[in-house]
Amino acid sequence: MGSQYPQSVRVYLPLWALTWEVAFILLFLFFTSYDTGPLDGRNLQRYHAVFQDVAVMGALGLGFFTSSLRRFGWSSVAFNLFMLALGVQWAVLLEGFLEKSFTVTGKILIKLSSIHQAAMSAMCVLISVGAFLGKANLLQLTLTTVVEVTAFEAVKTAFRHIFNMNQHESMMYIHVFAAYFGLTVAWCFSKSLPKGKEGKDQTATSSSLFAMLGSLFLWMFWPSFNSALLGSLDGRRKAVLNTYYALAVSAVTAISVSALARPQRRINMTHIHNAMLAGGVAVGTTCHVISSPWLAMILGLLAGLISIGGVKCLPVCLNRVLEIHDTCGLHYTFGLPGLLSGITSIMLKMYHVSWTNSPMIGYVALTEIGVLSLAMAGGLLSGLLTGLILKLKICKAHHVTKYFDDQAFWEFPHLAVGY
Amino acid sequence: MGSQYPQSVRVYLPLWALTWEVAFILLFLFFTSYDTGPLDGRNLQRYHAVFQDVAVMGALGLGFFTSSLRRFGWSSVAFNLFMLALGVQWAVLLEGFLEKSFTVTGKILIKLSSIHQAAMSAMCVLISVGAFLGKANLLQLTLTTVVEVTAFEAVKTAFRHIFNMNQHESMMYIHVFAAYFGLTVAWCFSKSLPKGKEGKDQTATSSSLFAMLGSLFLWMFWPSFNSALLGSLDGRRKAVLNTYYALAVSAVTAISVSALARPQRRINMTHIHNAMLAGGVAVGTTCHVISSPWLAMILGLLAGLISIGGVKCLPVCLNRVLEIHDTCGLHYTFGLPGLLSGITSIMLKMYHVSWTNSPMIGYVALTEIGVLSLAMAGGLLSGLLTGLILKLKICKAHHVTKYFDDQAFWEFPHLAVGY
Amino acid sequence: MGSQYPQSVRVYLPLWALTWEVAFILLFLFFTSYDTGPLDGRNLQRYHAVFQDVAVMGALGLGFFTSSLRRFGWSSVAFNLFMLALGVQWAVLLEGFLEKSFTVTGKILIKLSSIHQAAMSAMCVLISVGAFLGKANLLQLTLTTVVEVTAFEAVKTAFRHIFNMNQHESMMYIHVFAAYFGLTVAWCFSKSLPKGKEGKDQTATSSSLFAMLGSLFLWMFWPSFNSALLGSLDGRRKAVLNTYYALAVSAVTAISVSALARPQRRINMTHIHNAMLAGGVAVGTTCHVISSPWLAMILGLLAGLISIGGVKCLPVCLNRVLEIHDTCGLHYTFGLPGLLSGITSIMLKMYHVSWTNSPMIGYVALTEIGVLSLAMAGGLLSGLLTGLILKLKICKAHHVTKYFDDQAFWEFPHLAVGY
């Protein structure tokens, strides 16, 4: 089945994506140069390993994680790679501008560490897109990538300069930001979808071994993600150990509890590959300071329970009341565990301050609540902005709404990748 | 098709698994604390890499290795992760207790190296389960994990304290231990299976590209497994090189000889992904001392031939005579090459002693035979114990035998993971 | 369906492959020994990581990359592993002889770095075989492996000794060599194929998520491939960064432009997994000297466009006129981007010389053109030789041509791996 777009649009969409790429090349030409400073062999090796782990998580883990939609496996993997490759380039440029890491000739200095930092920032797009995958065309995905990366970099800069947070701490709010960005965009899209379709969407979400493969890669490399941006050796050691314990417990919890949450008491694969990652998300903001395994394990247990509980309860609240159609379970994989992570951070900071008998406890609590709120608000606002932009006539191309009305979204020929 | 368990049992099984998890968290709370000692950057990097390789082998390699059963792919991957996550926690605790690595406050010190050691020990469960996968429910898998990890840690402690073996040497008997443990448990299970079913089981064992993916990951990361616990740089170099050569030769042998072993002379994928790993198993105990590539290559050749020979001959002997149904070819992938590895170790040690003209040759031979026998006996006895426990009424839940009688085991709804 | 070979041939093919393996073991026995010199911990770690990345690219990436043929997935992965394992052993021996790295006892010294160098050389066979996969039996694949590795090692030695190129530079012509080798062999084979079959072949090339998985692994680990053989830290840093930028741009280009190249404007998965790798190939020879990201990005853009353009135009020219049937799109994935890489190298060298106002510019240009021509000519000539050998009666076994005439090649029972 060929695309029902008119010929002009079908040429226009790919050319638009290509234009962005050419613009990026020009920006790199005028504004960047490689770091040629002295280099330590161990750092080169470490950065290469970290960069590879992050690439595996982004291209393979998140690509296959969302490949469980029945008719959408190929497109999901290919568009995921497209957004990763585009997002990394934009994030490298933005981080250079915002961090003002200029050379003497006024150019942005591209270091080895730039790439994995940029790839981690670009992963917010890959997470968000889980909520509206299959409803956006190539042009809309390009716009989403550019807007979301810009918004996330802005939020991170605010964290670093206003709240004095380091690279690691500001990055760890990515899950909350991305989840609420994605949900807001999905909410904007849902207005165009007729009501009767929702039941059909749910049942079509059949998961496969490929989705499990993606989840396993995320699970195995999450300790790298949580420790990638930490400077101190002790912080990295703690981050690896805590993340591992939290993930192990949330995997056990996910598989045990999944059977309880379903009427027939059978284990649901979708539950598992959402909930087994919840531990890694939940331990994010605090993984470098938690000093005992049991605390990370309790976070993993809570995150697993919250995630499975969310699967059970949220579709009713969110999907029916707010009319958000959360394609890949974004809210309970990244959103709720991300909130848990933020709340843990608030409590741990308050606990540490309370030991010093300092009168600052109220101030610390307010600051931390402000950080979490900023991440959420940033996600919601930029998501709303993106949703509105994507609904502009020019982005939807001609008559795109027509196709949303008479076809289930995963059957859109202009999205599908040819067999 | 929903589970035919009564409602009470369906709630009981997941809660039981969750109870174990909560018990583990309490044990970690009271008995463990992180190592906060000084840390070398290179060690951190090395341990992280090793830990990641072992995680890939356990979660992905062994998970997909056993995914070739036609109706059991998802459950196999999910239960594999469950047992890995549970087994690692228990193994960390046990190794701490048995090695008496306590802090001044009487707590077990959790080091970075603890996790990959524990993950390697927990892999014995993942290997064993290949022999009875699809016949055990969540409660039975939990019990198997706890009993087998305990038994294997006990055997390893005996090796280290009685026979003065190091971490690496004692770990390398994992294949023999796990294979005979699994076969004994499968033997206990087989009593419940009616005789007429066996023919049907065999033909259903269709392998897939996913099983090949799992095997390839095991094949590629096996040099990491065999060199992970070695302290000396020269030992690690030899282990990596020898393992690689043995694996290369056993892969070539497996693919060449497979066609000979079948009436239609077609290559059988199941043969290949069993036999291509045999080289890595066979070189295990001696990989750090073999000093020429040709010796490792001959071991790889022999292991490949034995493995393919086993596929051809063993089903008749084992499955018909002893009534063991070896679901995933455990005996010829890990059992026989593991024995070859043990025998090679005996011969190499005797050869080295004979050069020194020492009268100790008989003593050395006896000791080494004792080590191999202890690994086998430990596997057989603890497997028998586990098999008997798993056949207790409480583990099988109500009326579980009824379902074994009138259904092929892989069709059990309570085991299957929902679509 | 069983093989239609007579019984004698069916025994003969596997035994032949096994004989080669035994011959290799004997060669290793008489001519090699391990390096027992002093060792640096960091080098061990680096070489192990590099060796693992190359193994992942070879066994998994290239294995699954060619698994997109509808009926040929398993055979492709298994035969790929067979050729990798055999090729590595032969390449280690050959490199030792040609580099004359002998010990005092006259044996070849096998170092840790030998394995990844040999694995990279052996990858030329895995690349070439994409052009005639499904048309060769086990004996023919064995012969191809031995002849091609020998020819490639000879070309590399010529590069190093005549043109004074280093390990990295001589290795990077692997793509051009392998592509033209494969195409020539495919051209020799095509004479045996009846004309009416070609249309059928094309449509059967359905790609799958497994092929995408293979491509993603190649994409993610390509920076390791391009930086593996570089000695200087700064060269490795540049190689990693340039390769990454080129790959990112060629992925974006591939996905954008793919839709333009097809009548229905749908994205073609085969285009994507060919073109997304083109950037990594194109930047190969110059990745360690390019000093700005935009140059690598432009190479990635050009490579992506050339690769997609090749898909569009070449099947008409090549397949119809020259009667070459390029099963896996070898020419536009490796051949054309490899030529682009060679031309870039010529231009960059001339540009650098022109800055020095040296009169040597003509000499430099001629040398570089000579290098590229030698790689192409080597591939073409050794490919022709191999093609002629493979068409000898003894290699085709009895009456093999008969089966080529009345069956589509991917249905050959002697090639297929049993279900």
Side-chain angles (χ1 to χ4, degrees), chain A residues 42 45-46 53 207-210 212-213 216-217 219-221 223-224 227 233-234 236-237 240-242 244-245 248-249 251-253 255-257 259-260 262-269 272 276 290-294 297-298 301, chain B residues 1 3 7 10-11 14-15 17-18 21 25 28-29 32 34-37 39-42 44-45 48 51-52 55-56 59-60 64 73-74 77-79 81-82 85-86 88-89 92 110-112 115 210 213 217 413 416-418:
Chain A
R42 191 185 299 164
Q45 211 164 316
R46 189 199 156 204
D53 291 353
S207 51
S208 74
L209 274 175
F210 278 110
M212 193 67 195
L213 187 73
L216 277 177
F217 269 108
W219 194 84
M220 295 180 303
F221 289 85
S224 287
S227 66
L233 290 177
D234 187 58
R236 270 158 64 197
R237 172 166 63 178
V240 169
L241 287 166
N242 282 320
Y244 189 73
Y245 279 109
V249 175
V252 171
T253 311
I255 296 170
S256 310
V257 182
L260 284 178
R262 296 186 79 203
Q264 305 97 333
R265 310 285 171 217
R266 290 172 68 190
I267 296 167
N268 184 305
M269 212 62 180
I272 293 177
M276 70 192 234
I290 290 178
S291 56
S292 317
W294 62 271
M297 291 167 84
I298 284 179
L301 182 71
Chain B
M1 185 169 56
S3 167
Q7 179 73 17
R10 287 189 246 143
V11 176
L15 282 184
L18 208 61
E21 188 52 66
I25 295 182
F28 271 92
L29 167 57
T32 67
Y34 282 145
D35 177 23
T36 48
L39 183 65
D40 175 20
R42 190 184 301 163
L44 175 62
Q45 212 164 314
H48 191 185
F51 143 72
Q52 215 160 48
V56 170
L60 212 142
F64 281 99
W74 290 352
V77 177
F79 287 154
L81 182 69
F82 176 80
L86 207 67
V88 166
Q89 299 171 41
V92 164
I110 294 184
K111 283 175 284 191
L112 260 182
I115 289 188
F210 278 111
L213 186 74
F217 269 108
V417 167

Side-chain angles (χ1 to χ4, degrees), chain B residues 330-343:
Chain B
L330 190 60
H331 201 182
Y332 25 93
T333 312
F334 297 101
L336 296 180
L339 286 181
L340 176 64
S341 174
I343 292 166

Side-chain angles (χ1 to χ4, degrees), chain B residues 5 62 94 96 98 111 126 152 190 195:
Chain B
Y5 278 129
L62 286 168
L94 269 183
L98 292 170
K111 283 175 284 191
L126 312 183
F152 184 58
S190 68
K195 293 203 172 170

Side-chain angles (χ1 to χ4, degrees), chain B residues 89-320:
Chain B
Q89 299 171 41
W90 185 228
V92 164
L93 286 173
L94 269 183
E95 291 200 353
F97 282 121
L98 292 170
E99 291 299 302
K100 302 194 189 63
S101 56
F102 296 115
T103 61
V104 281
T105 56
K107 294 197 168 187
I108 296 166
L109 207 59
I110 294 184
K111 283 175 284 191
L112 260 182
S113 57
S114 308
I115 289 188
H116 72 252
Q117 279 180 32
M120 289 169 82
S121 301
M123 277 166 74
C124 69
V125 188
L126 312 183
I127 295 174
S128 296
V129 89
F132 54 97
L133 196 72
K135 297 171 204 163
N137 61 32
L138 207 55
L139 166 57
Q140 289 173 321
L141 293 177
T142 311
L143 279 175
T144 308
T145 307
V146 173
V147 175
E148 184 168 1
V149 169
T150 313
F152 184 58
E153 289 293 343
V155 168
K156 279 204 323 184
T157 309
F159 281 167
R160 281 205 294 275
H161 293 195
I162 301 174
F163 296 99
N164 286 317
M165 292 161 74
N166 61 26
Q167 279 279 358
H168 169 79
E169 288 169 332
S170 59
M171 182 64 83
M172 285 301 136
Y173 287 91
I174 187 172
H175 309 296
V176 173
F177 177 88
Y180 289 100
F181 181 96
L183 288 173
T184 318
V185 175
W187 179 70
C188 294
F189 268 115
S190 68
K191 302 294 174 192
S192 336
L193 278 172
K195 293 203 172 170
K197 296 283 156 115
E198 281 152 34
K200 204 177 161 195
D201 307 351
Q202 293 302 93
T203 53
T205 315
S206 89
S207 51
S208 74
L209 274 175
F210 278 111
M212 193 67 195
L213 186 74
S215 305
L216 278 177
F217 269 108
L218 288 175
W219 193 84
M220 295 181 302
F221 289 84
W222 210 285
S224 286
F225 186 86
N226 278 359
S227 67
L229 298 177
L230 287 165
S232 85
L233 290 177
D234 187 58
R236 269 157 64 195
R237 172 167 63 180
K238 275 187 187 150
V240 168
L241 287 167
N242 283 319
T243 308
Y244 189 72
Y245 279 109
L247 283 168
V249 176
S250 70
V252 171
T253 312
I255 295 170
S256 310
V257 182
S258 168
L260 285 177
R262 294 186 79 203
Q264 305 98 333
R265 309 288 171 216
R266 291 171 69 190
I267 295 168
N268 183 305
M269 210 63 180
T270 316
H271 294 188
I272 293 176
H273 49 74
N274 289 335
M276 70 192 234
L277 300 175
V281 175
V283 92
T285 52
T286 50
C287 60
H288 57 306
V289 289
I290 290 177
S291 56
S292 316
W294 62 270
L295 206 53
M297 290 166 87
I298 284 180
L299 275 178
L301 182 71
L302 284 178
L305 291 175
I306 286 174
S307 186
I308 297 275
V311 179
K312 192 70 188 158
C313 311
L314 278 180
V316 184
C317 320
L318 272 184
N319 297 10
R320 303 261 161 89

Side-chain angles (χ1 to χ4, degrees), chain C residues 123-172:
Chain C
M123 276 167 73
C124 70
V125 188
L126 312 184
I127 294 173
S128 296
V129 89
F132 55 97
L133 196 72
K135 296 171 205 162
N137 62 30
L138 207 54
L139 166 57
Q140 290 174 320
L141 293 178
T142 311
L143 279 175
T144 308
T145 307
V146 174
V147 176
E148 183 167 2
V149 169
T150 313
F152 184 58
E153 289 293 342
V155 168
K156 278 204 323 184
T157 309
F159 280 167
R160 280 204 294 275
H161 293 193
I162 302 173
F163 296 100
N164 285 319
M165 290 161 74
N166 61 26
Q167 278 279 358
H168 169 79
E169 287 168 334
S170 59
M171 182 63 83
M172 285 302 136

